[in-house]
Amino acid sequence: MGQALLEINELAVSFSTQGGEVQAVRGVTFAVEKGETVAIVGESGCGKSVTAQSIMRLIPEPPGRIKNGTIHMNGKDLASLSEKQMRGVRGKQIGMIFQDPMTSLNPTLKVGDQLTEGILVHQKISKNEAKQEAINLLNLVGIANPEERLNQYPHQFSGGMRQRLMIAMALMCKPELLIADEPTTALDVTIQAQIIDLFKEIQRKTGVAIIIITHDLGVVAQIADRINVMYAGEIVETGTVKEIFYDPQHPYTRGLLDSVPRLDGDRTQKLIPIVGSPPDLFSPPEGCAFAARCDYAMDVCLSHDPEHTKLTDHHYTKCWLQDKRAQKPF
Ligand SMILES: Nc1ncnc2c1ncn2[C@@H]1O[C@H](COP(=O)(O)OP(=O)(O)OP(=O)(O)O)[C@@H](O)[C@H]1O
Ligand SMILES: [Mg+2]
């Protein structure tokens, strides 16, 4: 394999708070190839957004701090760039759709002005050409009557339309990578499906790679090539969609899959929530972070942190159950 588009290696991010140091991300490693879609899934607070913000170098410092690890985009170490160079990467190479829609939309500015302004920051073209680009973008994201829409304010758009607008903003400078943090969470199911289709269509047309963050496994199944399952600041299992859905190996992944409705619509299936809550990230446990909630936990799980075990070329899990050195309980 050649150089990946994005390579994250051993990323660790902490926040200092009054209660102590929150270890939000604890050694995350993964890569994104050109044109592929990688999903990050996991419960609230497991470090998904912090991982995304780290890529964009948007961690507020202080209280946050990247304690370890590297992030390379097209082979370039993002940490070595000046803030000015990094502004060029944001938007131009990496577009981001934030979890809170209103963070990227200015409520006091007409949509057209926001789009053309953004386009003009990155491209040396005339105002009229920028306006035409804005119209093209609205067409691309499926907003009807784009010329009329450009004269409206964000609050005049419905939730689903606003989300399309956010996608248009993120695509403004034709990025190679799009990071979408919970892009469909606030939307109803029908609109959700439309937005997912839109992502797929944009990817087909532009070849953009996508990192999609969500706790909705249904969304993941429809759009992703590969899945990173995060738990307590770590990736506990990674694999292709098929591997994760049909051959999950980490008990947490299996728990996640059992706690959501099946994709084949089997209504007889019982949903089983994962009992308990994630560990305290101020002082994560010595052993496996999931051990306290795991039905299969062995002695070693409580005392020693598991390493990643390779199952196939793409499939890895961080669990003693798969580690050849551990005694099998069954
Ligand atoms: N600015 C901050 N200051 C202090 N702690 C923070 C800050 N940002 C994030 N954290 C902490 O880092 C941890 C990971 O947060 P993160 O936002 O990445 O979770 P998440 O997986 O995106 O969750 P959700 O699904 O709820 O969006 C949490 O414990 C959170 O409280
Ligand atoms: Mg988040």
Side-chain angles (χ1 to χ4, degrees), residues 50-67:
V50 170
T51 301
Q53 287 157 9
S54 305
I55 300 170
M56 294 293 270
R57 243 175 66 187
L58 290 173
I59 296 289
E61 284 184 58
R65 194 158 81 85
I66 295 192
K67 297 198 74 169

Side-chain angles (χ1 to χ4, degrees), residues 25-320:
V25 171
R26 306 185 299 132
V28 159
T29 298
F30 70 95
V32 180
E33 305 291 334
K34 288 188 172 69
E36 77 167 338
T37 301
V38 175
I40 304 179
V41 301
E43 279 165 298
S44 187
C46 70
K48 304 182 296 292
S49 294
V50 170
T51 301
Q53 287 157 9
S54 305
I55 300 170
M56 294 293 270
R57 243 175 66 187
L58 290 173
I59 296 289
E61 284 184 58
R65 194 158 81 85
I66 295 192
K67 297 198 74 169
N68 190 36
T70 54
I71 301 173
H72 285 85
M73 179 79 186
N74 283 322
K76 201 166 244 161
D77 180 3
L78 294 186
S80 71
L81 302 184
S82 67
E83 183 48 36
K84 188 165 168 236
Q85 289 170 316
M86 195 58 211
R87 273 199 294 273
V89 171
R90 284 184 213 120
K92 216 169 168 99
Q93 285 184 51
I94 312 176
M96 177 141 178
I97 299 165
F98 290 91
Q99 192 162 1
D100 172 11
M102 290 319 265
T103 43
S104 350
L105 296 172
N106 184 335
T108 67
L109 275 183
K110 283 183 186 165
V111 163
D113 293 339
Q114 298 190 45
L115 275 172
T116 45
E117 232 169 66
I119 292 166
L120 286 170
V121 168
H122 292 284
Q123 297 181 53
K124 288 195 172 57
I125 53 177
S126 73
K127 228 175 161 178
N128 263 335
E129 286 168 318
K131 189 179 167 200
Q132 190 50 49
E133 281 241 19
I135 291 171
N136 294 346
L137 272 174
L138 292 193
N139 272 326
L140 178 67
V141 299
I143 293 180
N145 306 321
E147 299 205 32
E148 211 168 291
R149 286 295 197 171
L150 288 180
N151 284 316
Q152 295 184 335
Y153 292 89
H155 72 263
Q156 291 172 290
F157 285 64
S158 68
M161 282 296 154
R162 216 176 287 156
Q163 199 59 348
R164 286 172 190 265
L165 195 55
M166 299 256 299
I167 297 171
M169 302 274 289
L171 292 172
M172 207 147 55
C173 299
K174 307 185 176 68
E176 292 170 86
L177 174 66
L178 182 65
I179 304 176
D181 194 352
E182 305 277 3
T184 59
T185 306
L187 307 171
D188 68 51
V189 188
T190 327
I191 312 283
Q192 228 177 49
Q194 290 172 6
I195 297 289
I196 294 301
D197 285 343
L198 175 61
F199 275 120
K200 287 199 273 195
E201 193 187 320
I202 288 168
Q203 191 166 52
R204 195 169 44 74
K205 283 186 182 157
T206 67
V208 68
I210 299 175
I211 295 178
I212 185 162
I213 296 174
T214 175
H215 37 245
D216 187 335
L217 284 166
V219 167
V220 170
Q222 291 172 61
I223 190 169
D225 299 305
R226 292 189 299 115
I227 305 178
N228 292 327
V229 180
M230 274 189 86
Y231 185 77
E234 301 176 308
I235 294 180
V236 295
E237 184 162 4
T238 183
T240 63
V241 167
K242 268 201 183 136
E243 285 165 339
I244 298 295
F245 278 89
Y246 297 112
D247 190 24
Q249 292 298 323
H250 197 289
Y252 177 65
T253 311
R254 284 191 223 148
L256 268 188
L257 290 165
D258 286 341
S259 63
V260 296
R262 285 248 304 260
L263 301 169
D264 56 16
D266 178 1
R267 282 165 201 275
T268 59
Q269 172 219 9
K270 243 170 87 188
L271 299 186
I272 312 161
I274 305 172
V275 181
S277 45
D280 180 1
L281 291 177
F282 289 112
S283 52
E286 234 170 85
C288 170
F290 188 62
R293 300 170 79 183
C294 182
D295 289 340
Y296 307 96
M298 306 174 282
D299 287 343
V300 65
C301 305
L302 297 170
S303 56
H304 290 79
D305 198 19
E307 288 170 18
H308 290 272
T309 302
K310 180 175 177 171
L311 304 168
T312 72
D313 278 351
H314 292 292
H315 197 179
Y316 288 77
T317 180
K318 186 174 183 292
C319 176
W320 278 115

